[in-house]
């Protein structure tokens, strides 16, 4: 039968081993970008772990989604949304940010703004 470790006791053990762990409580989103894709994690739990001078950011929980590359395609997306909704590319880019990169949702948002 496994015994649950008291969090306070765990912190003491880690300090004895030279580890420091600090929770970051107010994180709402983590974005990981690479050349080929973008990973967005909403509502994660983030901790900073320091071991022998090395700092590691630990991300857990939350809901993750993958998106295409963030670079040139986002400009192309903004141009496409702008042409479909009849607005400037700047407005389209803002709508894309609001919708989390969802093209259809951005177009719908912009068309709703135009009618109201």
């Amino acid at each position: 039968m496994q015994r649950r470790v008291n969090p306070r006791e765990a912190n003491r053990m880690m300090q004895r081993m030279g580890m420091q762990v600090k929770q970051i409580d107010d994180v709402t989103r983590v974005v990981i970008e690479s050349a080929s894709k973008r990973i967005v994690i909403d509502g994660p739990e983030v901790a900073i772990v320091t071991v022998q001078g090395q700092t590691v950011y630990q991300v857990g929980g939350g809901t993750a989604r993958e998106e295409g590359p963030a670079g040139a395609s986002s400009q192309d997306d903004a141009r496409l949304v702008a042409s479909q909704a009849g607005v400037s590319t700047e407005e389209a880019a803002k709508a894309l940010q609001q919708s989390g990169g969802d093209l259809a949702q951005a177009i719908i948002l912009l068309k709703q703004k135009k009618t109201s």
Side-chain angles (χ1 to χ4, degrees):
M1 185 152 87
Q2 287 185 333
R3 180 184 87 128
R4 279 196 154 226
V5 178
N6 180 342
R8 190 173 177 188
E9 199 176 306
N11 281 335
R12 283 185 190 153
M13 287 183 350
M14 287 188 288
Q15 283 178 344
R16 278 188 233 130
M17 293 187 300
M19 293 177 67
Q20 291 179 324
V21 179
K22 180 182 176 193
Q23 287 290 126
I24 303 176
D25 296 326
D26 55 352
V27 177
T28 58
R29 176 182 290 171
V30 172
V31 179
I32 302 169
E33 291 182 342
S34 72
S36 61
K37 65 182 170 185
R38 182 176 181 201
I39 300 169
V40 180
I41 305 168
D42 293 310
E45 294 179 14
V46 179
I48 301 173
V49 181
T50 306
V51 181
Q52 298 176 353
Q54 289 283 78
T55 301
V56 177
Y57 294 86
Q58 180 178 334
V59 180
T63 55
R65 65 180 187 278
E66 284 190 27
E67 299 174 353
S73 68
S74 64
Q75 293 174 349
D76 293 339
D77 291 348
R79 277 188 235 123
L80 175 66
V81 170
S83 69
Q84 292 294 313
V87 297
S88 69
T89 53
E90 291 81 19
E91 287 179 277
K94 287 179 187 175
L96 278 167
Q97 282 182 329
Q98 260 185 321
S99 67
D102 186 337
L103 297 168
Q105 185 65 34
I107 293 169
I108 291 169
L109 283 171
L110 290 167
K111 286 189 175 188
Q112 286 176 346
K113 283 182 183 178
K114 283 179 89 174
T115 58
S116 55

